[in-house]
Amino acid sequence: MNKKSLNILMLPKEDYPNNRVHLTVLFEKEITERGHKLFWVMKSKTHKTSFTEKNNSYFFIPSFGGGNIFSNIFKRFLLIQKFFLAKKIINEQKIDLMYV
Protein backbone atom coordinates (compact mmCIF):
# COMPACT_ATOMS: atom_id res chain seq x y z
CA MET A 1 0.00 0.00 0.00
CA ASN A 2 1.41 3.36 -1.05
CA LYS A 3 1.10 6.21 1.39
CA LYS A 4 0.28 9.47 -0.36
CA SER A 5 1.25 12.73 1.22
CA LEU A 6 -1.72 15.11 1.31
CA ASN A 7 -1.60 18.84 0.69
CA ILE A 8 -4.15 20.38 3.06
CA LEU A 9 -5.32 23.99 2.88
CA MET A 10 -6.37 25.41 6.24
CA LEU A 11 -8.70 28.45 6.28
CA PRO A 12 -9.46 28.97 9.97
CA LYS A 13 -11.20 32.08 11.22
CA GLU A 14 -8.27 32.69 13.52
CA ASP A 15 -5.47 35.20 13.91
CA TYR A 16 -1.85 34.07 13.87
CA PRO A 17 -0.51 32.90 16.27
CA ASN A 18 -3.54 30.96 17.40
CA ASN A 19 -4.24 29.86 20.95
CA ARG A 20 -6.52 26.93 20.18
CA VAL A 21 -4.85 23.76 21.38
CA HIS A 22 -6.52 21.40 18.90
CA LEU A 23 -5.28 23.44 15.94
CA THR A 24 -1.77 23.57 17.30
CA VAL A 25 -1.44 19.97 18.46
CA LEU A 26 -3.61 18.05 16.03
CA PHE A 27 -2.92 19.87 12.80
CA GLU A 28 0.42 21.68 13.14
CA LYS A 29 2.13 18.74 14.84
CA GLU A 30 0.36 15.39 14.44
CA ILE A 31 -0.69 15.63 10.80
CA THR A 32 2.62 17.03 9.58
CA GLU A 33 4.56 14.31 11.44
CA ARG A 34 2.78 11.82 9.16
CA GLY A 35 4.28 13.52 6.11
CA HIS A 36 1.36 15.71 5.08
CA LYS A 37 1.80 19.38 4.17
CA LEU A 38 -0.39 22.12 5.60
CA PHE A 39 -0.96 25.50 3.99
CA TRP A 40 -2.45 28.05 6.38
CA VAL A 41 -4.17 31.30 5.33
CA MET A 42 -4.63 33.39 8.45
CA LYS A 43 -5.04 36.98 9.59
CA SER A 44 -2.12 38.58 11.40
CA LYS A 45 -1.41 42.00 12.84
CA THR A 46 2.34 41.42 13.08
CA HIS A 47 3.38 39.04 10.26
CA LYS A 48 3.48 40.42 6.74
CA THR A 49 5.44 37.77 4.85
CA SER A 50 4.76 34.08 4.46
CA PHE A 51 7.06 31.43 5.90
CA THR A 52 7.37 27.65 6.18
CA GLU A 53 8.38 25.49 9.13
CA LYS A 54 7.96 21.76 9.75
CA ASN A 55 5.67 21.14 6.72
CA ASN A 56 3.47 24.11 7.71
CA SER A 57 3.38 27.00 5.23
CA TYR A 58 1.81 30.18 6.57
CA PHE A 59 0.31 32.91 4.39
CA PHE A 60 -1.06 36.08 5.91
CA ILE A 61 -3.63 38.74 5.21
CA PRO A 62 -3.82 41.88 7.35
CA SER A 63 -5.92 41.80 10.49
CA PHE A 64 -8.11 44.82 10.97
CA GLY A 65 -10.24 45.77 13.96
CA GLY A 66 -12.90 48.35 14.47
CA GLY A 67 -16.64 48.48 14.19
CA ASN A 68 -17.49 51.44 11.97
CA ILE A 69 -18.83 51.25 8.42
CA PHE A 70 -15.41 51.81 6.83
CA SER A 71 -13.82 48.97 8.78
CA ASN A 72 -16.69 46.68 7.74
CA ILE A 73 -16.09 47.55 4.08
CA PHE A 74 -12.35 46.98 4.53
CA LYS A 75 -13.02 43.57 6.13
CA ARG A 76 -15.01 42.58 3.02
CA PHE A 77 -12.00 43.43 0.85
CA LEU A 78 -9.82 41.29 3.13
CA LEU A 79 -12.21 38.35 2.60
CA ILE A 80 -11.85 38.80 -1.15
CA GLN A 81 -8.06 38.89 -0.73
CA LYS A 82 -8.24 35.67 1.34
CA PHE A 83 -10.32 34.02 -1.40
CA PHE A 84 -7.84 34.89 -4.16
CA LEU A 85 -4.86 33.84 -2.02
CA ALA A 86 -6.54 30.49 -1.29
CA LYS A 87 -7.35 30.04 -4.99
CA LYS A 88 -3.70 30.71 -5.89
CA ILE A 89 -2.49 28.14 -3.33
CA ILE A 90 -5.02 25.56 -4.57
CA ASN A 91 -3.77 25.94 -8.14
CA GLU A 92 -0.05 26.03 -7.35
CA GLN A 93 0.12 23.33 -4.66
CA LYS A 94 -2.51 20.90 -5.97
CA ILE A 95 -4.48 20.88 -2.71
CA ASP A 96 -6.11 17.55 -1.83
CA LEU A 97 -8.21 18.68 1.13
CA MET A 98 -9.50 21.99 2.45
CA TYR A 99 -10.42 22.72 6.08
CA VAL A 100 -12.65 25.76 6.49
Side-chain angles (χ1 to χ4, degrees):
M1 178 179 190
N2 290 340
K3 284 189 174 185
K4 182 183 185 294
S5 174
L6 295 176
N7 290 337
I8 304 169
L9 178 61
M10 304 292 289
L11 298 170
K13 191 177 180 181
E14 304 279 335
D15 287 353
Y16 180 86
N18 63 57
N19 293 324
R20 292 178 56 190
V21 174
H22 86 273
L23 281 178
T24 305
V25 174
L26 176 62
F27 289 106
E28 291 180 2
K29 184 178 177 234
E30 295 295 328
I31 290 179
T32 56
E33 283 181 357
R34 289 167 172 74
H36 306 297
K37 295 180 184 175
L38 294 178
F39 300 89
W40 297 82
V41 177
M42 301 177 82
K43 297 182 292 181
S44 178
K45 291 181 181 177
T46 57
H47 290 79
K48 305 291 186 231
T49 58
S50 58
F51 68 93
T52 301
E53 67 179 13
K54 299 179 185 174
N55 282 342
N56 285 280
S57 296
Y58 297 91
F59 300 89
F60 303 106
I61 59 172
S63 180
F64 187 77
N68 61 33
I69 191 163
F70 296 111
S71 66
N72 290 334
I73 292 170
F74 188 67
K75 286 179 185 179
R76 300 290 185 237
F77 284 117
L78 292 178
L79 285 174
I80 293 168
Q81 181 183 5
K82 187 174 185 176
F83 169 78
F84 283 110
L85 180 57
K87 185 177 176 184
K88 178 182 176 190
I89 294 169
I90 289 169
N91 291 333
E92 290 178 357
Q93 301 297 329
K94 295 184 172 65
I95 297 298
D96 299 304
L97 183 67
M98 192 173 350
Y99 177 85
V100 180

